[in-house]
Amino acid sequence: MGDVLAGFQTVWEFDTDSVLIRFERGIRTPKLLQALGERHIPYEALSAVELAPGKRGTVVLRAVPRPGADPLMDVADGQLREGYDPYRLVLPAERASLAEYYAEEIRGALGPHVDTAAESHLVAAPAPPLSFKAYDGKASFDGKAVSFRWFWTGASSTKWKAGDQRFRIDELAGVEWRSPENKGSGGTAAKAAGTAPVEDPEAPGADPKGPAGKSTGSKGSGARNSGSKGSTAKSGYGHLRLVPRGAEDHPAGRPDHDPAAVVFGMGYGLVHESLPFAAAVLEAVRASAPAPCAEGAPAPARTPAPARRDPADIADRIRHLGELHTAGLLTDEEFSAKKAELLAEL
């Protein structure tokens, strides 16, 4: 088509087989859309196009992505607010006829598989390296592995005892993201979330008022933490949890006590930082998944070479364990066992 349709904070540029969606930078544009910058959407990644009246004399043109086509929308799982939806274009109501014209043009370009899920991602996620600061640690992704480095003032004692974490992409089956704004269905993320995070009172430097700024000993439903009563935190906290292969059907625990999860919200790791991160990880995980075997064919034997750890990394981990041992967070037996495990990786 080669045309351009400009709306509020968003511009759609049409091509014969795709649409380029560009987001303007400015105080009125949501931070998530500014972080995305632009997105190239092939028409084969769409299942439909909708046109509906908007608020305050506007119309809304929205492309509907196919399930499995866009890692960003897959991991968001229906939790985004309307203003954060990268597939929406808001136009003045007097441009409704023009919007209908382009909607029909896109519908005519859709492929034959609009009613089926995409077998692979057709829309690119943000490229690594990526990182963001969560409430209890810093998450980093270099394209090959995800690392969690815990913060002294935010991480629970469970995470401190486990130490900083590193997960290779080929060890993961998926990623679970829950919005700190708690919008939408939440999908699998909401089902696995359990209770809202409660700060561990035994964590070094923990705020006795908890992450929500309310005393964890106050009255409430009483999620239990380290044997003492505590109330669940207020809304405003989400999490990013990595799902190891082989653990897909295992019940997930509280994200604030899970070394495979980081908790964020209240200024730490909000949607515009954590969601693109989660989408990039999901894209890499899906790309690394082994191809399904033909029906009746035996699965190929897997003989992975044992990975050798960097001696400098091992030394840093042992030094970190020594600090936890000195601080009384690890017993002599726990320190000796962890040290032996790390030395065995050399």
Side-chain angles (χ1 to χ4, degrees):
M1 287 177 267
D3 296 337
V4 174
L5 185 59
F8 297 107
Q9 291 89 47
T10 306
V11 176
W12 287 15
E13 298 182 8
F14 301 97
D15 205 341
T16 54
D17 60 354
S18 61
V19 57
L20 177 65
I21 302 178
R22 293 190 293 105
F23 307 106
E24 298 177 357
R25 304 189 69 85
I27 59 174
R28 293 180 179 272
T29 304
K31 289 185 177 180
L32 173 62
L33 304 186
Q34 292 189 51
L36 294 175
E38 64 180 37
R39 311 206 76 211
H40 182 260
I41 314 294
Y43 294 138
E44 64 175 328
L46 303 177
S47 64
V49 180
E50 303 170 343
L51 183 64
K55 300 176 181 178
R56 300 183 184 90
T58 63
V59 292
V60 178
L61 181 63
R62 183 178 187 272
V64 182
R66 290 169 59 193
D70 185 348
L72 186 87
M73 302 306 287
D74 281 354
V75 80
D77 204 13
Q79 299 176 77
L80 291 180
R81 294 186 298 175
E82 282 188 349
Y84 278 19
D85 186 348
Y87 285 83
R88 292 175 82 247
L89 178 64
V90 182
L91 301 157
E94 57 266 22
R95 307 189 72 185
S97 298
L98 186 61
E100 179 60 37
Y101 166 78
Y102 283 108
E104 288 299 325
E105 290 289 308
I106 296 176
R107 292 183 187 117
L110 298 181
H113 306 297
V114 293
D115 295 326
T116 61
E119 296 181 358
S120 61
H121 289 143
L122 302 172
V123 181
L130 296 167
S131 66
F132 72 92
K133 289 183 178 180
Y135 176 79
D136 53 2
K138 180 179 180 180
S140 303
F141 176 46
D142 61 8
K144 297 180 179 179
V146 179
S147 301
F148 294 154
R149 183 177 181 180
W150 307 123
F151 292 154
W152 181 262
T153 55
S156 64
S157 59
T158 303
K159 291 183 176 181
W160 270 107
K161 288 182 179 180
D164 294 343
Q165 300 292 303
R166 185 176 186 273
F167 302 87
R168 296 199 318 269
I169 287 299
D170 60 2
E171 298 174 332
L172 301 177
V175 58
E176 170 190 291
W177 179 82
R178 182 176 181 179
S179 171
E181 297 172 353
N182 295 321
K183 298 290 183 181
S185 63
T188 55
K191 293 178 183 177
T195 62
V198 179
E199 186 168 333
D200 191 335
E202 295 182 353
D207 182 354
K209 293 184 179 181
K214 296 294 183 180
S215 171
T216 55
S218 62
K219 295 180 180 179
S221 57
R224 295 186 177 271
N225 187 14
S226 301
S228 62
K229 291 183 179 181
S231 61
T232 58
K234 287 184 177 182
S235 62
Y237 282 82
H239 68 260
L240 182 148
R241 190 198 308 269
L242 303 176
V243 182
R245 288 190 178 174
E248 297 92 328
D249 298 327
H250 295 178
R254 287 172 37 166
D256 57 331
H257 284 187
D258 185 352
V262 287
V263 178
F264 49 80
M266 303 294 287
Y268 295 87
L270 296 177
V271 172
H272 70 283
E273 298 174 321
S274 59
L275 181 58
F277 184 102
V281 174
L282 178 62
E283 180 181 62
V285 168
R286 191 165 178 180
S288 71
C293 300
E295 187 174 354
R302 187 186 180 199
T303 56
R308 294 184 62 84
R309 295 285 295 273
D310 183 356
D313 179 55
I314 295 293
D316 287 342
R317 294 295 298 274
I318 292 176
R319 190 178 303 110
H320 176 63
L321 287 173
E323 294 173 356
L324 295 178
H325 180 238
T326 302
L329 295 174
L330 289 177
T331 64
D332 293 341
E333 293 77 9
E334 289 173 332
F335 173 70
S336 298
K338 284 282 188 181
K339 181 178 178 181
E341 290 177 8
L342 291 172
L343 291 174
E345 296 180 19
L346 290 173

